[in-house]
């Protein structure tokens, strides 16, 4: 049996509840995948892994055929952990391991970045993830070893391409060997990926911790909670299908030449419907996504938005997109996730532009009029932000029953805190890339709806 080793930059809940659970499932099916975790930043430590011999449990909680389930999985796919800032020797030893085949990373959306100030001889602690990776790959090249498959799961567009571009930029910046440049371009395969599983992580409150430990049968400092649904779409490059097995293996894995379709589907259907719902829900006193889905009016709002204003414009395969939308609604109904609306509301302006505006434009182009529910969702965003006031260094807004903090680009928060107009917000091309007031009836509809919402009618 071939041993396949994976270098994993990141030790967080998502990777452990998604990627590592996948490799563990393959092992239980007869394979031999061994993950080495590399701590990507100096913050935090790996003591819990050492104490638990790199083993932990995940609990997948959600709905299955209308029934609530809580399934426990012991994960033992992690072989080793490395703190490269304290142990560079182990870091570079892994790079020259002949059985190393893949690199997986989740260094947050800000992790894949090129910084011109990074220097080749800088300490690992002082340079970006792609810079660390460049030095890691250079060691492998100098050892005369084959290239690797690099599968970033950071939530940025074309993440594989972005990582490859950053590494190439460091090779050029540092004036590295031309042979290394060619090796990186021809022997390494940077595969863009899309990941989809809601992971709430280690339980935070004592009651949930006690319940999870009871399910597991022991205390587990690394336990993590996720939903049963899981999807990993991997770009088909080289011979990646020999390393990544498609089909259902705790998560659904798809090897595809068209990752962009899956990203568009997820962003518009799941993320877009979330973003369009949240401001109205907050203004109605809701706290979680589940609260909305058990409310008949909000549930119908989500249904109608998806059916008439989002799904028809994702792809020509309406049936397949509808099937995915139905699965999304089932996921929203998960009573265990406790998916806070305030968490989803982070950076709402940029999210609306990326996730909802494209559906708005497609609907308008096809029908010659504005989409009612998407417009109502945008009006909810404007109404919520219009309540912003500064409280020290925070921006807060009053919603029924509580005060919430809104987190977004300071420019937008300041605009509304200073009582900026709806018209000025909508016609600002530096925000939207266009003047939204040029869409017939859009400004008037938003203005009218904001007045209704401020009178207490957010549904």
């Amino acid at each position: 049996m071939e041993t396949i080793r994976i270098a994993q930059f990141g030790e967080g809940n998502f990777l452990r509840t998604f990627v590592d659970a996948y490799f563990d499932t393959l092992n239980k099916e007869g394979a031999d995948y061994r993950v080495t975790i590399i701590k990507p930043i100096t913050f935090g430590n790996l003591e819990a892994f050492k104490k638990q011999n790199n083993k932990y449990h995940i609990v997948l909680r959600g709905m299955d055929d209308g029934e609530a389930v809580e399934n426990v999985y012991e994960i033992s796919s992690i072989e080793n952990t490395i703190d490269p800032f304290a142990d560079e020797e182990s870091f570079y030893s892994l790079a020259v391991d002949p059985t190393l085949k893949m690199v997986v990373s989740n260094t947050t959306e800000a992790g894949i970045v090129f910084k011109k100030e990074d220097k080749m001889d800088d300490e690992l602690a002082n340079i970006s993830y792609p810079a660390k990776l460049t030095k890691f790959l250079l060691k492998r090249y100098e050892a005369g070893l084959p290239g690797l498959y690099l599968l970033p799961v950071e939530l940025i567009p074309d993440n594989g391409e972005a990582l490859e571009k950053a590494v190439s930029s460091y090779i050029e910046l540092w004036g590295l060997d031309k042979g290394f440049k060619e090796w990186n371009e021809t022997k390494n395969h940077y595969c863009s990926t899309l990941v989809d599983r809601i992971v709430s992580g280690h339980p935070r409150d004592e009651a949930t911790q006690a319940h999870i430990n009871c399910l597991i049968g022991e205390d587990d400092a690394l336990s993590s909670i996720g939903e049963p649904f899981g999807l990993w779409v991997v770009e088909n490059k080289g011979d990646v299908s020999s390393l990544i097995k498609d089909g259902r293996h705790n998560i659904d894995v798809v090897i595809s030449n068209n990752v962009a379709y899956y990203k568009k589907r997820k962003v518009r259907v799941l993320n877009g419907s979330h973003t369009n719902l949240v401001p109205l829900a907050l203004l109605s006193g809701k706290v979680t996504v589940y609260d909305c889905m058990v409310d008949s009016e909000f549930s119908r709002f989500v249904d109608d938005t998806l059916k008439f204003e989002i799904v028809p414009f994702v792809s020509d395969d309406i049936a397949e997109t509808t099937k995915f939308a139905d699965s999304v609604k089932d996921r929203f109904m998960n009573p265990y996730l406790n998916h806070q609306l305030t968490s989803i509301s982070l950076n709402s302006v940029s999210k609306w532009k990326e996730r909802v505006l494209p559906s708005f434009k497609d609907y308008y182009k096809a029908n010659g009029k504005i989409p009612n529910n998407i417009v109502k969702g945008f009006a909810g965003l404007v109404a919520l932000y219009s309540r912003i006031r500064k409280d020290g260094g925070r921006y807060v807004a009053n919603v029924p029953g509580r005060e919430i903090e809104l987190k977004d680009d300071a420019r937008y928060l300041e605009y509304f805190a200073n009582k900026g107009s709806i018209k000025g917000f909508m016609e600002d091309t530096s925000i939207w890339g266009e003047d939204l007031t040029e869409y017939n009836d859009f400004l008037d509809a938003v203005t009218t709806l904001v007045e209704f919402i401020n009178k207490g009618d957010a549904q």
Side-chain angles (χ1 to χ4, degrees), residues 101-119:
K101 303 292 185 182
M102 284 184 282
V103 174
V104 177
S105 65
N106 187 21
T107 56
T108 78
E109 290 90 325
I112 298 181
V113 62
F114 170 66
K115 297 181 178 179
K116 290 183 178 180
E117 60 270 24
D118 287 347
K119 295 180 175 58

Side-chain angles (χ1 to χ4, degrees), residues 120-136:
M120 177 67 181
D121 57 357
D122 282 347
E123 297 288 335
L124 291 175
N126 299 325
I127 56 178
S128 72
Y129 160 56
K132 294 182 186 71
L133 179 62
T134 303
K135 298 175 74 169
F136 184 88

Side-chain angles (χ1 to χ4, degrees), residues 81-285:
T81 61
I82 296 174
D83 180 349
F85 315 111
D87 186 6
E88 279 196 20
E89 182 179 351
S90 293
F91 175 70
Y92 289 120
S93 292
L94 178 61
V96 298
D97 187 327
T99 63
L100 182 68
K101 303 292 185 182
M102 284 184 282
V103 174
V104 177
S105 65
N106 187 21
T107 56
T108 78
E109 290 90 325
I112 298 181
V113 62
F114 170 66
K115 297 181 178 179
K116 290 183 178 180
E117 60 270 24
D118 287 347
K119 295 180 175 58
M120 177 67 181
D121 57 357
D122 282 347
E123 297 288 335
L124 291 175
N126 299 325
I127 56 178
S128 72
Y129 160 56
K132 294 182 186 71
L133 179 62
T134 303
K135 298 175 74 169
F136 184 88
L137 294 173
L138 179 61
K139 288 289 184 182
R140 189 170 183 85
Y141 163 74
E142 291 173 341
L145 290 168
L148 300 170
Y149 285 83
L150 299 103
L151 282 67
V153 305
E154 288 85 350
L155 295 176
I156 60 173
D158 302 316
N159 46 20
E161 181 180 334
L163 182 58
E164 181 175 14
K165 183 178 179 180
V167 171
S168 297
S169 296
Y170 281 113
I171 293 174
E172 181 178 349
L173 176 70
W174 295 340
L176 300 179
D177 181 47
K178 290 182 178 179
F180 175 48
K181 180 178 184 294
E182 181 181 356
W183 178 85
N184 182 60
E185 292 174 349
T186 60
K187 303 301 182 183
N188 291 322
H189 297 279
Y190 293 81
C191 302
S192 290
T193 73
L194 171 75
V195 295
D196 189 2
R197 168 172 274 173
I198 298 172
V199 173
S200 54
H202 189 69
R204 299 177 184 179
D205 63 279
E206 292 184 4
T208 305
Q209 285 183 26
H211 176 69
I212 294 301
N213 286 338
C214 182
L215 288 175
I216 292 171
E218 61 184 88
D219 290 346
D220 185 347
L222 293 171
S223 65
S224 180
I225 299 170
E227 64 171 335
F229 180 91
L231 174 66
W232 193 11
V233 183
V234 178
E235 184 180 12
N236 187 17
K237 282 189 174 181
D239 196 23
V240 70
S241 60
S242 68
L243 299 173
I244 298 295
K245 187 175 180 181
D246 62 6
R248 180 71 184 180
H249 309 278
N250 191 283
I251 58 177
D252 290 313
V253 176
V254 177
I255 310 296
S256 175
N257 294 316
N258 189 13
V259 176
Y261 158 69
Y262 292 93
K263 175 179 172 57
K264 180 180 179 181
R265 188 180 74 172
K266 175 180 181 288
V267 167
R268 292 206 185 188
V269 174
L270 189 151
N271 303 123
S273 54
H274 257 167
T275 297
N276 198 58
L277 167 70
V278 166
L280 291 170
L282 286 169
L283 291 165
S284 293

